[in-house]
Amino acid sequence: MTIRAVVWGENIHERTNEVVAGIYPEGMHATIANALKADPGISATWATLEQPEHGLPADRLAETDVLLWWGHKDHGAVADEVVERLARRVWEGMGLIVLHSGHFSKIFKKLMGTPCTLKWREAGERERLWVTSPNHPIAEGIGEYFEIEYEEMYGEQFAVPEPLETVFISWFQGGEVFRSGLTYRRGAGNIFYFRPGHETYPTYHDATVQKVLRNAVKWAHNPQGSRPAILDAPNVPVEKALEPIVERGGKLHAAGEAGYR
């Protein structure tokens, strides 16, 4: 079964910055999607901020297995209605991969419940990513570490919840370290945060980075499909209790009435 991935890109700097446009003439979203399609088990399309509903209407999300998210300059322009829609789909089982500066995206902060702040420096430093969980599927075929010659530094403290597992830790030439590959689960959805990807450097052309992204899509995919019932909060009638019971005490709700939300 082919995994259906959608790569979401802000698509601002590719259109407004000559350096970024020179590195990603078709947009970062297209470069990432094309890298994913190198695996015959993944189909990949893309969506961008300027499209109606940011390219993510409900019917498209319903057919999306894994969403990859890259944003930077205008996180606030993402409509709250779309953010709520994304969160529901993750809770139902859609995989989510958040890339680089997407740590400040509305959807990531909502799902993490924390500020997601960090230190940073834009100086084209060498980044060495150490594999801290070599048996994790996302690290398959990577080796002990890999290096990116030019990258933006992110440094600790990274204000996110403790992850399920840390797959990569980065070291930068300036001496900082950063947890660069973190996994989470929210509801039925798998989430992976992957740090590299500053737009003024050719990070998404790197073969190892592309391999990590393909591995991550396969890991984030939920083969069991969507679980919309996870959003339900049913009022279970007394007569449907697993064991016989007798009602006692006062009640706020009538039989079959929905609860407060």
Side-chain angles (χ1 to χ4, degrees):
M1 179 178 174
T2 302
I3 301 172
R4 301 165 298 181
V6 173
V7 181
W8 190 89
E10 197 175 60
N11 197 33
I12 294 177
H13 285 122
E14 298 98 315
R15 294 179 292 138
T16 61
N17 184 285
E18 291 184 2
V19 174
V20 181
I23 297 171
Y24 299 106
E26 297 181 351
M28 282 183 289
H29 48 280
T31 299
I32 295 169
N34 289 334
L36 297 180
K37 288 189 287 187
D39 189 310
I42 302 173
S43 67
T45 57
W46 58 79
T48 54
L49 176 67
E50 73 274 10
Q51 295 174 328
E53 300 183 75
H54 312 314
L56 300 172
D59 57 349
R60 186 178 189 186
L61 281 177
E63 298 180 349
T64 300
D65 297 315
V66 180
L67 176 68
L68 295 88
W69 189 275
W70 192 100
H72 191 184
K73 183 176 174 59
D74 204 0
H75 298 301
V78 178
D80 291 341
E81 178 183 356
V82 174
V83 175
E84 292 297 322
R85 185 183 303 161
L86 295 175
R88 288 195 300 270
R89 281 293 293 125
V90 172
W91 293 331
E92 291 173 352
M94 182 183 73
L96 177 66
I97 299 171
V98 177
L99 302 171
H100 190 60
S101 44
H103 69 91
F104 268 156
S105 64
K106 287 182 177 180
I107 183 59
F108 191 62
K109 290 195 292 185
K110 178 179 180 66
L111 293 170
M112 294 299 104
T114 57
C116 302
T117 48
L118 47 81
K119 298 175 184 174
W120 62 280
R121 179 172 56 244
E122 191 180 23
E125 299 171 53
R126 182 182 303 113
E127 177 180 5
R128 182 176 298 137
L129 292 99
W130 289 94
V131 176
T132 55
S133 185
N135 293 325
H136 199 284
I138 294 176
E140 182 180 353
I142 302 301
E144 274 194 309
Y145 67 89
F146 66 98
E147 293 185 348
I148 301 172
E149 186 60 31
Y150 300 98
E151 253 299 350
E152 179 182 24
M153 181 278 290
Y154 279 7
E156 294 288 347
Q157 182 203 8
F158 189 18
V160 291
E162 192 67 22
L164 289 174
E165 199 156 10
T166 300
V167 184
F168 303 110
I169 288 180
S170 290
W171 167 90
F172 295 88
Q173 279 184 284
E176 290 86 359
V177 296
F178 191 78
R179 293 166 291 161
S180 287
L182 305 177
T183 66
Y184 296 92
R185 184 167 295 115
R186 294 293 184 266
N190 295 319
I191 301 172
F192 179 57
Y193 173 77
F194 187 47
R195 196 220 69 83
H198 189 59
E199 56 267 47
T200 60
Y201 310 123
T203 300
Y204 293 123
H205 292 291
D206 183 271
T208 306
V209 170
Q210 293 181 356
K211 182 173 181 58
V212 170
L213 293 178
R214 289 191 291 268
N215 288 350
V217 166
K218 294 177 182 178
W219 171 83
H221 174 231
N222 182 356
Q224 296 178 341
S226 180
R227 291 188 56 208
I230 198 170
L231 298 174
D232 295 340
N235 181 350
V236 182
V238 169
E239 59 271 19
K240 290 190 177 181
L242 296 178
E243 303 291 341
I245 57 174
V246 176
E247 290 189 60
R248 298 185 297 179
K251 298 175 63 173
L252 286 175
H253 301 280
E257 184 181 30
Y260 302 126
R261 293 208 187 193

